Amino acid sequence: MFSFPAWVATVGLVALGSLNIVHALNNGVAKLPILGYNTWNAYQCNIDENLLLTTAKLMKSLGLQAAGYEYVNIDDCWAEKNRTAEGNIIEDQVRFKNGMKKLTQQIHALGLKTGIYGDSGWFTCAGYPGSYGNEVRDAQTFANMGFDYLKYDNCAIPYDNITRQGIVGKYQRMSDALIQVGKAVGKNFVFSLCEWGWSQVWLWGAQLGHSWRTTGDISTQWESLTSIINFNSFLTQATNFYGRNDMDMLQLGNGGLTFEESKSHFTAWALMKSPLLIGTNLSAITPEILGILTNKEILAINQDPVVGTSISPFRWGVNPDWTSNDTHPAQYWSGQAQFGTVFMLLNTLNEPSTMTFNLTESPFIRAGRQYSVRDLWTHTDNGTAVRTFTAKDVPPHGVIALLLKDAGDEPAGLYPACSVWWQCTDKNGTRVGG
């Protein structure tokens, strides 16, 4: 556990926000976070065309497509282990015997989009052909197969005397190839960089793609979630329209997480505007997990067409502000939304907790005003908050998600005259009381 000086963290966040806004890759696709499915968490290499088509049909029948999930993405292990004599990557001839083009056509016919997986090195992480030195050839292959999206990994990097460039240049090669091929075939690809954050990808990823992994792989343990939330709490200004911090795939329903932890997982990912890629076996999904994934009020914040920015911490809670702690990340968060201010209260403790805050701790709340309170999980209107809000008995590892809307001036005659009384003075210089 360590603490950043507040001025260092603040300067860093402002710089990140400015860079993203100026350099975001706006090519007409993926203005908002991607919603969809990825095969890796549930199946790893045990994939075939029947599984993908079944999954696509389940996305439709379970109501996931109607909730906004539209991508069906194939991860590693889809190809033959060797390229053809002509140098092309081809699909596994047994598991995808009818060809990727037919599969993508079938999925497209359901009204969904399709994604494929590649690697910036010699091989993928599972040992299948990577794209280094074949970027244009492989981009053309992916286009011919009918894919709309490319997840691009970072395994088997060539020696320095071969690349003679940094990690940015290695990803630039495929970004340029996708643009070149896209222009030729009339398609704009969604390019997702899976670089794991080792080279500060949040500083440059928006110049090349629409999302970038900021950490290593997620697991099914609560500590994995808190570590990812903690790390990303210092990077929130790097995400905006056409460019997203990717916090990795959703682990709901894969075991290891309680129901409350699953809600916290989904809420943090959605409100921090990460892509939402389901990694669950949809054939075995429970109604409870499906209910979390299809929470329309939470999804509406993630897919806000007017405000593209993430929520950010306004108070850390358990620890002093600006403290990095993998097991106890920031607890009090807020951000702008199209119709109000969104709040997330995250209980990182192993016991129930009462969580309270002064409304104006959030920079998006006006002093001297009262706010209507909408609970985004119970889907209820919970009265009006004046100056403070308190959530009692938040479950261990649980979450509260709220949307506050301006409801006019606060009641007259409140004492003291300022909710944060020690910051205010009368015009003659005297304190207002407390």
Side-chain angles (χ1 to χ4, degrees):
M1 183 177 74
F2 60 92
S3 294
F4 290 110
W7 67 269
V8 172
T10 302
V11 169
L13 292 178
V14 170
L16 287 172
S18 299
L19 182 145
N20 178 271
I21 292 170
V22 172
H23 297 292
L25 179 64
N26 177 0
N27 65 353
V29 294
K31 176 182 178 180
L32 303 177
I34 292 297
L35 271 60
Y37 187 89
N38 183 284
T39 58
W40 186 256
N41 284 3
Y43 302 105
Q44 297 190 346
C45 287
N46 300 313
I47 56 174
D48 59 31
E49 59 189 29
N50 292 329
L51 171 67
L52 268 297
L53 190 56
T54 297
T55 297
K57 291 177 179 177
L58 283 168
M59 287 179 66
K60 194 175 187 74
S61 64
L62 291 170
L64 290 164
Q65 182 186 31
Y69 296 89
E70 61 176 347
Y71 282 83
V72 182
N73 295 343
I74 305 169
D75 212 280
D76 207 347
C77 311
W78 61 269
E80 286 286 337
K81 280 293 184 96
N82 297 297
R83 291 177 177 268
T84 66
E86 295 75 25
N88 296 318
I89 296 179
I90 59 171
E91 59 272 87
D92 186 293
Q93 298 297 285
V94 175
R95 291 182 290 120
F96 296 93
K97 61 183 178 181
N98 291 307
M100 285 297 190
K101 186 173 183 178
K102 181 176 180 180
L103 178 60
T104 61
Q105 288 173 339
Q106 290 174 305
I107 295 174
H108 286 153
L110 295 171
L112 297 164
K113 298 177 181 178
T114 56
I116 195 64
Y117 169 96
D119 192 278
S120 61
W122 297 124
F123 306 102
T124 70
C125 298
Y128 293 80
S131 291
Y132 188 82
N134 288 283
E135 288 85 2
V136 174
R137 177 190 294 273
D138 291 352
Q140 187 66 60
T141 294
F142 301 147
N144 293 343
M145 289 176 169
F147 288 104
D148 309 292
Y149 170 110
L150 173 62
K151 173 184 174 181
Y152 206 52
D153 222 330
N154 189 36
C155 286
I157 299 173
Y159 293 149
D160 294 352
N161 64 356
I162 296 174
T163 63
R164 298 195 184 279
Q165 60 189 337
I167 194 75
V168 178
K170 192 156 69 78
Y171 279 85
Q172 183 78 58
R173 294 166 67 104
M174 181 53 85
S175 179
D176 291 345
L178 291 173
I179 292 171
Q180 177 184 329
V181 171
K183 288 180 179 178
V185 301
K187 170 178 290 209
N188 290 326
F189 293 92
V190 177
F191 187 35
S192 176
L193 287 62
C194 188
E195 195 275 330
W196 321 320
W198 288 358
S199 66
Q200 297 180 305
V201 63
W202 52 91
L203 288 172
W204 52 268
Q207 302 172 51
L208 306 183
H210 292 288
S211 63
W212 46 87
R213 278 279 297 283
T214 55
T215 65
D217 291 350
I218 194 172
S219 79
T220 57
Q221 302 303 310
W222 171 248
E223 291 75 16
S224 175
L225 304 185
T226 58
S227 175
I228 292 171
I229 293 169
N230 173 64
F231 192 85
N232 280 272
S233 70
F234 298 97
L235 310 176
T236 58
Q237 294 285 334
T239 196
N240 208 326
F241 292 133
Y242 298 105
R244 304 290 171 181
N245 288 329
D246 180 357
M247 297 165 67
D248 203 5
M249 292 170 279
L250 296 171
Q251 284 285 44
L252 285 69
N254 287 330
L257 298 178
T258 67
F259 177 70
E260 293 297 336
E261 290 169 345
S262 295
K263 286 173 57 180
S264 296
H265 178 15
F266 182 76
T267 303
W269 264 237
L271 300 187
M272 293 174 79
K273 304 294 181 74
S274 174
L276 301 178
L277 293 172
I278 301 167
T280 305
N281 177 350
L282 295 185
S283 298
I285 194 169
T286 65
E288 292 77 15
I289 296 300
L290 186 61
I292 293 174
L293 290 169
T294 55
N295 182 326
K296 292 184 178 180
E297 294 191 68
I298 298 288
L299 289 172
I301 304 297
N302 180 264
Q303 296 290 296
D304 192 328
V306 176
V307 178
T309 51
S310 164
I311 59 170
S312 298
F314 61 83
R315 174 154 46 97
W316 262 247
V318 168
N319 297 299
D321 291 348
W322 302 106
T323 299
S324 178
N325 186 324
D326 279 350
T327 56
H328 294 289
Q331 294 184 287
Y332 295 86
W333 303 63
S334 71
Q336 294 173 292
Q338 181 177 6
F339 299 112
T341 301
V342 63
F343 285 83
M344 179 178 76
L345 310 182
L346 184 68
N347 181 14
T348 64
L349 302 177
N350 298 326
E351 57 192 25
S353 179
T354 294
M355 304 182 70
T356 187
F357 63 93
N358 185 302
L359 299 188
T360 57
E361 288 185 78
S362 166
F364 310 112
I365 292 293
R366 297 169 59 191
R369 308 286 285 181
Q370 58 186 334
Y371 286 81
S372 64
V373 179
R374 175 72 176 180
D375 189 310
L376 302 180
W377 277 111
T378 63
H379 308 296
T380 56
D381 295 319
N382 292 358
T384 302
V386 179
R387 295 194 171 182
T388 63
F389 180 87
T390 298
K392 296 181 179 179
D393 297 323
V394 182
H397 303 173
V399 72
I400 300 294
L402 308 168
L403 183 66
L404 269 60
K405 297 182 182 181
D406 192 306
D409 289 338
E410 66 181 21
L414 294 180
Y415 182 85
C418 293
S419 60
V420 187
W421 62 268
W422 60 90
Q423 292 181 345
C424 296
T425 63
D426 191 271
K427 62 184 178 180
N428 65 11
T430 60
R431 295 287 182 185
V432 299

